[in-house]
Amino acid sequence: MNSSALLSAILHAVMRGQPKAISDSYYPGFHLAPVTGLLNDPNGFIHFAGRYHLFYQWNALGCQHQHKCWGHWSSGDLVHWKHEPIALMPDEEYDRSGCYSGSAVDNSGVLTLLYTGNVKFDDGSRTAWQCLAVQNEAGGFDKLGPVIPLPVGYTGHVRDPKVWQHAGQWYMVLGAQNNRKQGTVLLLRSADLLHWRNLGEIAGSGLNGLKDAGYMWECPDMFTLDDTTFLICCPQGITREEHRFLNAHPCTWTGGDLDYAAASYAHGSLNELDAGFEFYAPQTTLSADGRRLLIGWMGVPDGEEMRQPTIANGWIHQMTCVRQLETREGRILQRPVAELKALRGEEYHFQGRAAEAPLISAQRLEILIAAQGKITLDFSDTLQLEWHEEGLRLARRSLESGEWQYRYWRGAVSHLQILCDHSSVEIFINDGEGVMSSRYFPAQAAQLTLIGDAEVEARYWPLRHTVIE
């Protein structure tokens, strides 16, 4: 489809679909979500020229993983966002099957995008190009075309460039699958963003002490905090464990040392970044004041996503809240970004036996809670969080079979911070030691009930609705 016809179809879809989507009782009040159609990976998260920019994978024409464009929001404060012109559409031969994920950089004052141009052939095979686009005076982006072809020795599954600058050179991590069908991450270097040298594999299945770690590593993100270089990645096909990696595809992190001169990365084991039912493809950036921020897709590919009831109203998926990353003893901590406190309404307080706590509206809610024993947090008889001495167990019924499914966080829990938004919960454990992010779809307006005899103390606030301009 040429750009004019595609843009016309998108405009028609938005005009027709937006009223139904935003009136859905499950539509979030302060999280980012599509005005219609499907949203998935965050892309190009960056602070540039005084504003935060967040691009995202978007199919305005339906709730299927097709016709991927880059939508675009911007914000001055990480709370109030506005729509920007569509950044990329799949209207060239080298990206005709979708403008897949990538990142954004400030190239001498020019906002520049690097993304994957996906091409699928009639025989079922595919290829991928890593492509460049630069912002123009109108706020849109002009494509400069492919700058990296498919590397030798790899299948057509090579995608999701994340780019940063170090010592005057540009570096890229790139998710890939080699011809042995093993997932891996490539490191590349460039002086000008146009000409790239592949420095080789730095992480993946069969590398650095890992055994079989999946058939494709997607959405890599590499950054340094407190002298540790972290790699976030989504290894598809990793073996499920009793209490970890239970989603169709998990998101992981590992920490270590990146040797730029040797193009090698010595790292530790894989850890789950978010232990909830829905979390994938996060991306980080630096804030104006030097904080490392993260936002993720509150969804998972190839799971039960196409059973979600929002599809009946023409939309699916949302982003997580923006999170600030810190480290403690070489581990990543995640907390809701402080700017979100601006959404708080009147503060309420409860102290006493859990079962005596009032019924709390969880439409838009922030709650800080500490407990001195076993309790259960029940979200509208649809999602349940069991809190006991061994950790947390999150329970939800399958959208396909109706059977209970579980996710776990193991370890002593002293307190929780929970954000609720109509059909989502984000559970932050012990000041960010762990997180469990999940969607759920109650039959009535979301409410939180505390169950149990243990003593609890809770502070909570209703959160204001935000409107994307």
Side-chain angles (χ1 to χ4, degrees):
M1 190 182 299
N2 63 46
S3 57
S4 177
L6 181 55
L7 189 57
S8 177
I10 291 172
L11 178 60
H12 185 218
V14 170
M15 294 172 66
R16 186 179 66 250
Q18 182 177 14
K20 193 174 182 180
I22 63 176
S23 63
D24 188 343
S25 62
Y26 297 134
Y27 198 83
F30 62 93
H31 287 80
L32 293 166
V35 295
T36 191
L38 176 141
L39 167 150
N40 58 300
D41 304 4
N43 297 154
F45 190 26
I46 190 173
H47 186 267
F48 174 83
R51 292 186 68 80
Y52 293 94
H53 294 262
L54 179 64
F55 303 83
Y56 57 98
Q57 293 283 282
W58 182 37
N59 174 17
L61 305 183
C63 292
Q64 301 76 35
H65 287 279
Q66 299 173 343
H67 313 296
K68 294 295 180 67
C69 301
W70 275 35
H72 182 192
W73 295 300
S74 74
S75 174
D77 60 6
L78 295 172
V79 176
H80 303 92
W81 296 82
K82 74 173 186 177
H83 293 289
E84 299 288 353
I86 296 173
L88 300 171
M89 295 189 297
D91 54 7
E92 299 289 346
E93 183 63 24
Y94 53 78
D95 60 16
R96 69 183 193 219
S97 302
C99 297
Y100 278 23
S101 293
S103 52
V105 295
D106 180 348
N107 185 21
S108 301
V110 179
L111 184 55
T112 302
L113 309 182
L114 294 103
Y115 72 99
T116 298
N118 188 47
V119 178
K120 297 180 180 179
F121 301 107
D122 292 339
D123 63 2
S125 62
R126 64 197 294 167
T127 192
W129 304 88
Q130 310 313 315
C131 307
L132 202 64
V134 296
Q135 191 170 37
N136 56 41
E137 293 182 356
F141 287 82
D142 298 324
K143 295 178 180 178
L144 301 186
V147 294
I148 303 173
L150 191 69
V152 175
Y154 296 86
T155 73
H157 292 281
V158 177
R159 54 183 172 266
D160 312 332
K162 179 63 190 290
V163 179
W164 72 98
Q165 201 166 31
H166 174 79
Q169 296 285 309
W170 294 103
Y171 288 86
M172 174 192 295
V173 281
L174 191 60
Q177 180 188 72
N178 63 32
N179 286 339
R180 300 186 301 280
K181 302 297 177 67
Q182 295 172 312
T184 187
V185 173
L186 305 177
L187 180 69
L188 297 91
R189 185 176 62 221
S190 173
D192 58 7
L193 296 177
L194 296 170
H195 304 90
W196 291 86
R197 180 185 175 191
N198 185 356
L199 303 178
E201 299 177 353
I202 59 167
S205 196
L207 298 174
N208 303 330
L210 296 182
K211 296 180 181 179
D212 181 7
Y215 57 81
M216 173 63 194
W217 280 33
E218 288 194 314
C219 306
D221 192 321
M222 183 165 264
F223 55 90
T224 299
L225 271 177
D226 295 340
D227 299 322
T228 298
T229 297
F230 292 97
L231 174 66
I232 292 175
C233 206
C234 297
Q236 297 184 327
I238 193 170
T239 301
R240 293 188 179 194
E241 300 179 6
E242 183 179 3
H243 296 122
R244 297 195 310 164
F245 310 140
L246 297 175
N247 289 338
H249 302 299
C251 179
T252 67
W253 68 266
T254 187
D257 297 305
L258 177 64
D259 186 329
Y260 283 94
S264 64
Y265 180 51
H267 63 76
S269 60
L270 295 181
N271 306 276
E272 200 163 37
L273 187 61
D274 190 300
F277 285 97
E278 275 92 19
F279 183 86
Y280 201 75
Q283 194 165 103
T284 74
T285 193
L286 283 174
S287 69
D289 57 2
R291 293 170 293 162
R292 177 63 59 173
L293 305 181
L294 173 148
I295 191 168
W297 170 35
M298 206 181 296
V300 175
D302 302 330
E304 295 186 354
E305 58 176 331
M306 293 306 160
R307 298 282 187 171
Q308 293 187 12
T310 65
I311 291 176
N313 285 316
W315 71 281
I316 184 171
H317 297 314
Q318 65 177 60
M319 295 298 181
T320 68
C321 72
V322 178
R323 304 171 182 179
Q324 179 176 335
L325 301 186
E326 298 174 6
T327 64
R328 182 189 302 154
E329 297 177 351
R331 299 185 65 83
I332 291 178
L333 305 181
Q334 304 175 68
R335 298 186 180 97
V337 73
E339 284 87 339
L340 290 177
K341 293 179 180 178
L343 296 176
R344 289 175 174 176
E346 181 180 356
E347 180 177 337
Y348 296 87
H349 180 264
F350 172 80
Q351 186 168 4
R353 196 167 68 92
E356 296 174 353
L359 188 66
I360 302 171
S361 171
Q363 287 281 85
R364 296 185 303 280
L365 171 72
E366 179 183 359
I367 182 168
L368 308 179
I369 184 168
Q372 299 177 8
K374 298 179 183 179
I375 65 169
T376 296
L377 287 72
D378 184 277
F379 298 87
S380 299
D381 296 321
T382 308
L383 186 79
Q384 292 186 337
L385 180 67
E386 299 174 2
W387 181 351
H388 48 75
E389 63 272 9
E390 295 176 353
L392 302 172
R393 185 176 80 163
L394 190 64
R396 185 182 74 180
R397 290 192 183 274
S398 166
L399 294 174
E400 291 183 351
S401 68
E403 297 179 356
W404 284 103
Q405 298 176 326
Y406 302 98
R407 298 294 182 266
Y408 304 87
W409 191 86
R410 311 297 284 179
V413 178
S414 60
H415 56 282
L416 303 175
Q417 179 181 10
I418 302 175
L419 298 180
C420 305
D421 193 0
H422 293 269
S423 61
S424 69
V425 294
E426 292 171 273
I427 302 161
F428 296 86
I429 306 159
N430 298 345
D431 290 324
E433 284 184 21
V435 192
M436 304 179 85
S437 301
S438 297
R439 301 292 304 282
Y440 74 114
F441 305 98
Q444 307 295 331
Q447 295 179 318
L448 172 60
T449 304
L450 303 185
I451 301 169
D453 294 325
E455 290 289 309
V456 302
E457 182 175 6
R459 297 169 59 206
Y460 55 99
W461 302 261
L463 299 178
R464 298 182 181 91
H465 189 283
T466 59
V467 177
I468 301 177
E469 299 176 357

